[in-house]
Amino acid sequence: MNVNDSVTKTKFDNLYMCRESIIDSLKRSTDVMFGGKQVVLCGYGEVGKGCCQSLKGLGCVIYITEIDPICALQACMDGFSVVKLNEVIRTVDIVVTATGNKNVVTREHMDKMKNGCVVCNMGHSNTEIDVNSLRTPDLTWEKVRSQVDHVIWPDGKRIVLLAEGRLVNLSCSSLPSFVVSITACTQALALIELFNAPSGRYKSDVYLLPKKMDEYVASLHLPTFDAHLTELSDEQAKYMGLNKAGPFKPSYYR
Amino acid sequence: MNVNDSVTKTKFDNLYMCRESIIDSLKRSTDVMFGGKQVVLCGYGEVGKGCCQSLKGLGCVIYITEIDPICALQACMDGFSVVKLNEVIRTVDIVVTATGNKNVVTREHMDKMKNGCVVCNMGHSNTEIDVNSLRTPDLTWEKVRSQVDHVIWPDGKRIVLLAEGRLVNLSCSSLPSFVVSITACTQALALIELFNAPSGRYKSDVYLLPKKMDEYVASLHLPTFDAHLTELSDEQAKYMGLNKAGPFKPSYYR
Amino acid sequence: MNVNDSVTKTKFDNLYMCRESIIDSLKRSTDVMFGGKQVVLCGYGEVGKGCCQSLKGLGCVIYITEIDPICALQACMDGFSVVKLNEVIRTVDIVVTATGNKNVVTREHMDKMKNGCVVCNMGHSNTEIDVNSLRTPDLTWEKVRSQVDHVIWPDGKRIVLLAEGRLVNLSCSSLPSFVVSITACTQALALIELFNAPSGRYKSDVYLLPKKMDEYVASLHLPTFDAHLTELSDEQAKYMGLNKAGPFKPSYYR
Amino acid sequence: MNVNDSVTKTKFDNLYMCRESIIDSLKRSTDVMFGGKQVVLCGYGEVGKGCCQSLKGLGCVIYITEIDPICALQACMDGFSVVKLNEVIRTVDIVVTATGNKNVVTREHMDKMKNGCVVCNMGHSNTEIDVNSLRTPDLTWEKVRSQVDHVIWPDGKRIVLLAEGRLVNLSCSSLPSFVVSITACTQALALIELFNAPSGRYKSDVYLLPKKMDEYVASLHLPTFDAHLTELSDEQAKYMGLNKAGPFKPSYYR
C-alpha cells in the first residue's frame, strides 16, 4: 500500500509540515534572519511549495530550479523566478534542496557560493548535496554546533552545511505532532485495510489508499480546528451522483 | 478525452485564473472595497483556493464551507475558518459559490443576509444559487447596471445579485488570454492525440490526457516568463528512473 | 491644516486604496494577467507599499527603485529587490511610478522597454512619466481604448501607456467609497477645528491634524467592520499616563 | 535622545524582528504547529503588526484587541477581526500580548482559557500578563522545560506560560544580529551626535534622532542585500526641494 502518495500524506505532511519546519530548522541551527535573504529552492514539488510559502511570508527573495515544466510554470504563476542553479549560485544566501534526486548541489556549485552561504536538504535521503565532494584535503571542516558544520575554503570562505546533507527538518527541528498524526493515521488505516480485505481484493502490487480512507483520516482531524463540515442534502447528493458519506472526489483528484 | 481534469486545466485555469477573475468581477460590477470585508466561500476546491488566495491578499476575513473533509482540512491549515453557511450568513458582506453543486445558497439563506450583501457564483452553470426562489411577488428586482441586480425585500433590504447567478467571471470580467491559451492548447493536443493514435489505443471510454502532453503544454508557456528549466544529467535520470525528456511524474501526480 | 499628512490619510487612503486600485486600474484598462508578471515599482512610500502588497499577493515578481535608504531597506526586508531602473527596464512587463517626483521614467527608459510593456503612474500629478518625450515624429500613437494608448516605435515595438501619464487610479478605476469617506471625514473635521478654534491656537502656518481627531475619524469607521474596541481600565490608563478617551499615541506616532 | 522612537528602531526592530522572533520563540519553547491555530494578539502596534504578518503567513486564524481606533482600523483593513479579549478567550490556542500596558491578560481571562492554551508576552517588561495572580494555592506549577511552565487548574486544565510572562523573544529565541545591528547603530550615532553637538543644540529634553541620521543608519545596512539606491538628478532634487544627500522626508514621516 503506497501510503506515501496518498493525499493526506503528500498534501499535508509534505506541504504543511515543511512550511513550518524549514523555518524552524534554519532558525534553530543558524539563527539566520529571513527578511531580505535570497534563497534558491531546488525543486518545486509539495516540499518546495511548502518551503516557499513560509519563506515568502517572512520576506525572502526566492528563486526556483525545476526539471518539470508543470511545476516550473506553477512557480512562475506563484511569483517566483525559475532559473538554473548556476545563474544565482554566486549571490544567494541560502540553498535548499527538495528534489528527491542526487547531486543537485555539486562541489562546483559550492566553489562558487559566497561566504556564509547556508546549504541544507529538505528532500530525501542524503544524496541531494554532494557532501562527499567536500571531504578533500584543501577544505577544512569545523563543527560549530550540533548538526552545523562550517566548511572552509583555502581563501577563508565558509559555507554553512546543515546536518551533513541529511534531512534538515528531521535533524534540526521538531515535527508538529499534528501532521505526524495525520501520516501515522494513514499508515495505520492502510494496515487495517490490508488485514481486513477479503482475499483477492489486493494482489501482489502497489496500491494507493482508497479515497474514502483518505477522507476518513481528514475527518478525524477536523475537530482540532473546531471545523464544521457541511452535509449534502439528498437532492444535492443525487445531482452530484455522490454517496452522502463520500467519497466526494474521483480517486485521481488531489 | 477528459481535458477538464488534466493538470494544466485544474491546477492553472481553475486556480490561477479564478484568483484574478474573482477580484476583477467584483470590482467591475460593484466597485466594492475588499479590505476588511467578510467573505464566505462555498467550496474549497481549486476554484475556491484560487479565490481565497487573492481575497486574503487584499485583506478579507474569509470563511469556508465544505462537504469534503480533505478540502476542509486544507482550508483549516491555510488559515480559514470552516463553518456551516448558516453560522455566518447574517454577518458576511460577500457570498461566493464554487462547489459545482446545486442550491448551495437558498432563499432561506438570502432571507437572512444583511442589507447590501453581494452574492455571486464562480462554480459551474447557474445552479449554485437558487435564483428562481427570488422570483416571487414579495421581492422587487432592480437592474442597477448590466449584470447587476438589486433584489429588494419588503423591509427595504437589498442584496446584490451578480449575473443572475451565472458564472460571474465569464459575465463580469475579462479572462487572461494566457490561462485561456493553456486550456485551449491542452484541448488541441488532446484532439491531435486522438486523431493520430493508432487504432486500439483508445476504446470508447473517457481518458485523462497523458502526463507527457500536460508537460508539453506547460513547457510551451514557460518562455513567456523567461523561465529556465534545469535538465537532468544522465546520472540523475538513471537514479530517478526517468527519461530525460519526461514524463517526470507518475500519472496520478498533481 | 495639512490633512494630506495626517495618519488617516497617509496610512489609509494612500496604502489601502492604492492596494486595490492598482489592480483594478490595470485590469480594467488592459485585462493583463498578474501571475508571473515582472513589475517595477518606482517609489516605496505608502502608495508603493500598497501596490506591492496586492501585486505580490497575485503572484508578480517585484522590483523597487528608491532614493530614500529607509524606504529601500523596508523594501528589502519585505522581500523585494531594490534596483536602479536601468537594471530591469529591458525585461519588466509593467512599470508603475509612485515617487511624487518628475521624469522618473524617461524617453531613454521607454526606448529600452520590451514590446507590450505597460506604463502607468500612481504617484502624483502627471509629471512622473515624461510623456512629452513620446510626442515625436518617429513614434505613432494609437488609442486602443479610452485611457489606453499604444505608442509604437519604428520597429513595431509597442508600449501601453495608461491615462497619458496622469494618475491611473483616478482615470481607470473606481475608488472605494469607504476610503474616500475616511479622507473626506478628515478634511471636514479639520475645517470644523479651524472654524471652532479659539483665536490664537493656529497662527499663519501649516499644522498637522491633532492626533485626537485622527483617532476620532478612525473610530467613526470601525462599526462598518463590526470591530469592538477595548477600553482602558482606570488602573491601565494611569499606568500608561493616558486619558481613557485618547489620544492614545504621541503626535509623532504613525 | 529618544532612540526608541526613531524610524529605524520602531519600523525595523519592532516590526521585522518580532515578525521572526514570535515564530521562533513559540517553536523553540513549545514545538507548536501554527497551521490552523487560533491566535489572539493583544495590541496592533509595530510589534503586533510584525507578529501578525508571520503568523498569517503560516496559516493562523488571528484576532486582535486594541484600544486605539487607528490601529484597530488598520487591523480591520489588514484582514483581522477586532474583538474584546473575552469574546475569544475560551476558544483561542495562543495568546500573545504586545500592548506596553499592564494586566492585559488577567486571572479571570486565564480561568476561561481552554486546556493547552499557550500564553506569552512580546510587549514590554513583565507586566502584561498578571502572572502573580497565578501564584495561588489552588493552582499547581510544573516546569516542563526551561522557560516553559504548565500552570494546572484543579480540574486538570493546563495553560502553557512562557518565560513567566517576561519578554518571550528575549527569553526563548535568538535575535537576528542584523536587526540588532540597526538598533545598536542608531544608539551609537545618537551618542556621537550628542557628544559632537555644539553646546546649545540640545537642551535638557528628550529629542528624536534627526531624520538624516536615521537615513544614514539605513544606508549603512543596504549593501547586505545588494540593494542599489537611485540618486536624484539636479532637476529632480530642485523639483522636490530636496538636498541630493537627504534628508528625503520631513521629520514626522514614518
Side-chain angles (χ1 to χ4, degrees):
Chain A
M1 192 75 77
N2 174 2
V3 170
N4 199 48
D5 284 320
S6 72
V7 177
T8 42
K9 169 70 173 63
T10 57
K11 296 291 184 188
F12 286 87
D13 190 334
N14 297 12
L15 181 73
Y16 295 116
M17 185 150 75
C18 294
R19 182 174 72 179
E20 305 204 6
S21 61
I22 181 66
I23 303 280
D24 195 22
S25 303
L26 285 164
K27 275 287 186 199
R28 293 201 203 206
S29 57
T30 70
D31 298 319
V32 69
M33 179 186 72
F34 291 107
K37 286 295 189 305
Q38 294 192 44
V39 182
V40 61
L41 240 300
C42 302
Y44 198 65
E46 300 304 330
V47 173
K49 287 181 176 77
C51 293
C52 285
Q53 239 183 62
S54 53
L55 291 168
K56 184 182 183 181
L58 288 173
C60 293
V61 177
I62 298 173
Y63 300 94
I64 303 290
T65 72
E66 251 300 341
I67 59 162
D68 176 342
I70 294 179
C71 293
L73 197 56
Q74 289 178 317
C76 291
M77 297 295 282
D78 290 342
F80 305 119
S81 302
V82 177
V83 299
K84 296 193 182 200
L85 190 49
N86 268 327
E87 296 176 57
V88 296
I89 197 68
R90 288 179 191 281
T91 51
V92 291
D93 301 291
I94 301 172
V95 178
V96 182
T97 56
T99 69
N101 209 328
K102 69 185 285 191
N103 293 344
V104 173
V105 176
T106 65
R107 171 68 187 264
E108 200 185 350
H109 292 128
M110 292 184 279
D111 283 340
K112 293 177 185 162
M113 288 173 186
K114 70 181 183 191
N115 185 38
C117 186
V118 177
V119 187
C120 68
N121 170 34
M122 288 285 291
H124 88 141
S125 184
N126 61 349
T127 59
E128 306 215 10
I129 303 163
D130 186 6
V131 172
N132 281 335
S133 73
L134 295 175
R135 304 190 192 281
T136 54
D138 55 332
L139 303 185
T140 312
W141 285 55
E142 185 181 321
K143 180 169 287 299
V144 296
R145 194 188 276 195
S146 168
Q147 308 291 349
V148 185
D149 288 289
H150 282 189
V151 183
I152 310 171
W153 265 249
D155 65 355
K157 180 184 91 170
R158 287 160 181 255
I159 69 166
V160 182
L161 178 66
L162 302 185
E164 300 185 41
R166 294 184 307 277
L167 274 172
V168 72
N169 59 341
L170 297 185
S171 304
C172 301
S173 80
S174 69
L175 299 180
S177 58
F178 183 79
V179 182
V180 174
S181 163
I182 292 178
T183 300
C185 185
T186 307
Q187 291 167 335
L189 281 172
L191 290 173
I192 293 169
E193 164 72 10
L194 286 176
F195 185 82
N196 285 340
S199 84
R201 180 182 291 174
Y202 298 105
K203 305 197 182 61
S204 293
D205 203 348
V206 177
Y207 292 89
L208 284 176
L209 199 68
K211 190 74 179 175
K212 194 159 179 175
M213 280 192 203
D214 248 359
E215 293 178 354
Y216 181 57
V217 171
S219 71
L220 289 173
H221 287 82
L222 283 175
T224 304
F225 301 114
D226 196 28
H228 303 166
L229 271 189
T230 299
E231 280 171 40
L232 290 173
S233 68
D234 292 336
E235 183 203 15
Q236 289 176 323
K238 193 177 162 199
Y239 181 76
M240 302 288 280
L242 293 174
N243 186 311
K244 285 172 71 171
F248 300 102
K249 299 279 178 7
S251 59
Y252 57 79
Y253 180 88
R254 42 188 61 208
Chain B
M1 192 75 76
N2 173 3
V3 171
N4 200 49
D5 284 321
S6 71
V7 177
T8 42
K9 169 69 172 64
T10 57
K11 295 292 185 188
F12 286 87
D13 190 334
N14 297 11
L15 181 73
Y16 295 116
M17 185 150 75
C18 294
R19 182 174 72 179
E20 305 204 4
S21 60
I22 181 66
I23 303 279
D24 195 21
S25 303
L26 285 164
K27 275 287 187 199
R28 293 201 203 206
S29 56
T30 70
D31 298 319
V32 69
M33 179 185 73
F34 291 106
K37 286 295 187 306
Q38 294 193 45
V39 182
V40 61
L41 240 300
C42 302
Y44 199 64
E46 300 304 330
V47 173
K49 287 181 177 78
C51 292
C52 286
Q53 241 184 60
S54 52
L55 291 168
K56 183 182 183 181
L58 289 173
C60 293
V61 177
I62 298 173
Y63 300 95
I64 302 290
T65 72
E66 251 300 341
I67 61 161
D68 176 341
I70 295 179
C71 293
L73 197 56
Q74 290 177 318
C76 291
M77 297 295 281
D78 290 342
F80 306 119
S81 301
V82 177
V83 299
K84 297 194 181 199
L85 190 49
N86 267 326
E87 296 176 58
V88 297
I89 198 67
R90 289 180 190 281
T91 52
V92 291
D93 302 290
I94 301 172
V95 178
V96 182
T97 56
T99 68
N101 209 326
K102 68 184 285 192
N103 292 345
V104 173
V105 176
T106 64
R107 171 68 188 265
E108 201 184 351
H109 291 129
M110 292 185 277
D111 282 341
K112 293 176 185 161
M113 288 175 186
K114 70 181 181 191
N115 185 39
C117 187
V118 177
V119 187
C120 68
N121 171 33
M122 287 285 291
H124 89 142
S125 184
N126 61 349
T127 59
E128 306 215 11
I129 303 163
D130 186 5
V131 172
N132 280 336
S133 73
L134 295 175
R135 303 191 193 281
T136 54
D138 55 332
L139 303 184
T140 312
W141 286 55
E142 185 181 322
K143 179 169 288 300
V144 296
R145 194 188 278 194
S146 168
Q147 308 290 350
V148 184
D149 287 290
H150 281 189
V151 183
I152 310 170
W153 265 249
D155 64 355
K157 180 185 90 169
R158 287 161 182 254
I159 70 164
V160 182
L161 177 67
L162 302 186
E164 298 185 40
R166 294 183 305 277
L167 275 172
V168 71
N169 59 342
L170 297 186
S171 304
C172 301
S173 80
S174 68
L175 299 180
S177 57
F178 184 80
V179 182
V180 173
S181 163
I182 292 178
T183 300
C185 184
T186 308
Q187 291 168 334
L189 281 172
L191 290 173
I192 292 169
E193 165 71 10
L194 287 176
F195 185 82
N196 285 339
S199 85
R201 179 181 293 172
Y202 297 104
K203 303 199 182 60
S204 293
D205 204 347
V206 177
Y207 292 89
L208 283 177
L209 199 67
K211 190 74 180 175
K212 193 157 178 176
M213 280 193 204
D214 248 358
E215 293 178 354
Y216 181 57
V217 170
S219 71
L220 289 173
H221 288 83
L222 283 175
T224 304
F225 301 115
D226 196 29
H228 302 167
L229 272 188
T230 299
E231 280 171 39
L232 290 173
S233 69
D234 292 337
E235 182 202 17
Q236 289 177 324
K238 193 175 162 200
Y239 180 77
M240 302 287 281
L242 292 175
N243 186 310
K244 287 171 71 172
F248 299 102
K249 299 281 178 5
S251 59
Y252 57 79
Y253 180 88
R254 44 188 59 206
Chain C
M1 191 75 78
N2 174 3
V3 170
N4 200 47
D5 284 321
S6 72
V7 177
T8 41
K9 169 68 173 64
T10 58
K11 296 290 185 188
F12 286 87
D13 190 334
N14 296 10
L15 181 72
Y16 295 117
M17 186 150 75
C18 294
R19 183 174 71 179
E20 305 204 4
S21 60
I22 181 65
I23 302 281
D24 196 20
S25 302
L26 284 165
K27 276 287 187 198
R28 292 201 204 205
S29 56
T30 70
D31 299 319
V32 68
M33 178 185 73
F34 291 107
K37 286 296 188 305
Q38 294 191 45
V39 182
V40 62
L41 241 301
C42 302
Y44 198 65
E46 301 304 330
V47 173
K49 287 181 177 78
C51 292
C52 285
Q53 239 185 61
S54 53
L55 291 169
K56 184 182 183 181
L58 289 173
C60 292
V61 178
I62 298 174
Y63 301 94
I64 303 289
T65 73
E66 251 300 341
I67 60 161
D68 177 341
I70 295 179
C71 293
L73 197 56
Q74 290 177 317
C76 292
M77 297 295 280
D78 290 342
F80 305 120
S81 303
V82 177
V83 299
K84 297 195 181 199
L85 190 49
N86 267 328
E87 297 176 58
V88 296
I89 197 66
R90 289 180 191 281
T91 52
V92 291
D93 301 291
I94 302 171
V95 178
V96 183
T97 56
T99 69
N101 209 326
K102 69 185 286 191
N103 293 346
V104 174
V105 177
T106 65
R107 170 67 187 265
E108 201 184 350
H109 292 129
M110 292 186 276
D111 283 340
K112 292 176 185 163
M113 289 174 186
K114 69 180 184 192
N115 185 39
C117 186
V118 177
V119 187
C120 67
N121 171 34
M122 288 285 291
H124 89 141
S125 184
N126 60 349
T127 60
E128 306 216 11
I129 303 163
D130 186 3
V131 172
N132 281 335
S133 73
L134 295 175
R135 303 191 193 281
T136 54
D138 55 332
L139 303 185
T140 312
W141 286 54
E142 185 180 321
K143 180 169 287 300
V144 297
R145 197 187 276 195
S146 168
Q147 308 290 351
V148 185
D149 288 289
H150 282 189
V151 182
I152 310 171
W153 265 248
D155 65 354
K157 180 185 90 169
R158 286 160 182 256
I159 69 165
V160 183
L161 177 66
L162 303 185
E164 298 185 41
R166 294 184 306 276
L167 274 172
V168 71
N169 59 340
L170 297 185
S171 304
C172 301
S173 80
S174 68
L175 298 181
S177 58
F178 183 80
V179 182
V180 174
S181 163
I182 293 178
T183 301
C185 184
T186 308
Q187 291 167 335
L189 282 171
L191 290 173
I192 293 169
E193 164 72 9
L194 287 175
F195 185 80
N196 285 340
S199 86
R201 179 181 293 173
Y202 298 105
K203 306 198 180 62
S204 291
D205 204 347
V206 177
Y207 292 89
L208 283 176
L209 199 67
K211 190 73 180 176
K212 194 159 176 173
M213 280 193 206
D214 247 358
E215 294 178 353
Y216 181 57
V217 170
S219 72
L220 289 173
H221 288 83
L222 283 175
T224 304
F225 302 115
D226 195 28
H228 303 166
L229 272 187
T230 300
E231 280 171 39
L232 290 173
S233 68
D234 292 336
E235 182 203 17
Q236 289 177 323
K238 194 177 161 198
Y239 181 76
M240 302 288 280
L242 292 174
N243 186 310
K244 287 172 72 171
F248 300 102
K249 299 280 176 14
S251 59
Y252 57 78
Y253 181 88
R254 44 189 61 207
Chain D
M1 191 74 79
N2 175 3
V3 170
N4 200 48
D5 283 321
S6 72
V7 177
T8 42
K9 170 67 173 63
T10 57
K11 297 291 184 188
F12 288 87
D13 191 332
N14 297 12
L15 181 73
Y16 295 117
M17 185 149 75
C18 294
R19 183 174 71 179
E20 305 204 2
S21 60
I22 181 65
I23 302 281
D24 195 21
S25 303
L26 285 164
K27 277 286 188 199
R28 293 200 204 206
S29 57
T30 69
D31 299 319
V32 69
M33 179 186 73
F34 292 106
K37 285 296 187 305
Q38 294 192 44
V39 182
V40 62
L41 240 301
C42 302
Y44 198 65
E46 301 304 330
V47 173
K49 287 180 177 79
C51 292
C52 286
Q53 239 184 62
S54 53
L55 291 168
K56 183 182 183 182
L58 289 173
C60 293
V61 177
I62 298 173
Y63 301 94
I64 302 289
T65 72
E66 251 300 341
I67 60 161
D68 177 341
I70 295 180
C71 293
L73 197 56
Q74 290 178 317
C76 292
M77 297 295 281
D78 290 341
F80 306 120
S81 302
V82 177
V83 300
K84 297 195 180 199
L85 189 50
N86 267 328
E87 297 176 57
V88 296
I89 197 66
R90 289 179 191 281
T91 52
V92 291
D93 302 290
I94 301 171
V95 178
V96 183
T97 56
T99 69
N101 210 326
K102 69 184 285 192
N103 292 346
V104 173
V105 177
T106 65
R107 171 69 187 266
E108 201 185 349
H109 292 128
M110 292 185 277
D111 282 341
K112 293 176 185 162
M113 288 175 187
K114 70 181 183 191
N115 185 40
C117 186
V118 177
V119 187
C120 68
N121 170 33
M122 288 285 291
H124 89 142
S125 184
N126 61 349
T127 60
E128 307 215 10
I129 303 163
D130 186 5
V131 173
N132 281 336
S133 73
L134 296 174
R135 303 190 193 282
T136 54
D138 55 331
L139 303 185
T140 312
W141 286 55
E142 185 181 321
K143 180 168 287 300
V144 297
R145 196 188 275 195
S146 169
Q147 308 290 351
V148 184
D149 288 289
H150 281 189
V151 182
I152 310 171
W153 265 247
D155 64 355
K157 179 185 91 168
R158 287 160 182 256
I159 70 165
V160 183
L161 177 66
L162 303 185
E164 298 186 41
R166 294 183 307 275
L167 274 172
V168 71
N169 59 339
L170 297 185
S171 305
C172 302
S173 80
S174 67
L175 299 181
S177 58
F178 183 80
V179 182
V180 173
S181 164
I182 293 179
T183 301
C185 185
T186 308
Q187 291 168 335
L189 282 172
L191 290 172
I192 293 170
E193 164 71 10
L194 287 176
F195 185 82
N196 285 340
S199 87
R201 180 181 293 174
Y202 297 104
K203 305 200 181 62
S204 292
D205 203 346
V206 177
Y207 292 88
L208 283 176
L209 199 67
K211 190 75 181 176
K212 193 158 179 175
M213 280 194 203
D214 248 358
E215 293 178 353
Y216 181 57
V217 170
S219 71
L220 289 173
H221 288 83
L222 283 175
T224 304
F225 302 115
D226 196 27
H228 303 167
L229 272 188
T230 299
E231 281 170 39
L232 289 174
S233 68
D234 292 337
E235 183 202 16
Q236 289 176 324
K238 193 176 161 200
Y239 181 77
M240 302 286 280
L242 292 174
N243 186 311
K244 285 172 73 172
F248 299 104
K249 299 278 176 15
S251 60
Y252 57 79
Y253 180 89
R254 42 190 61 207

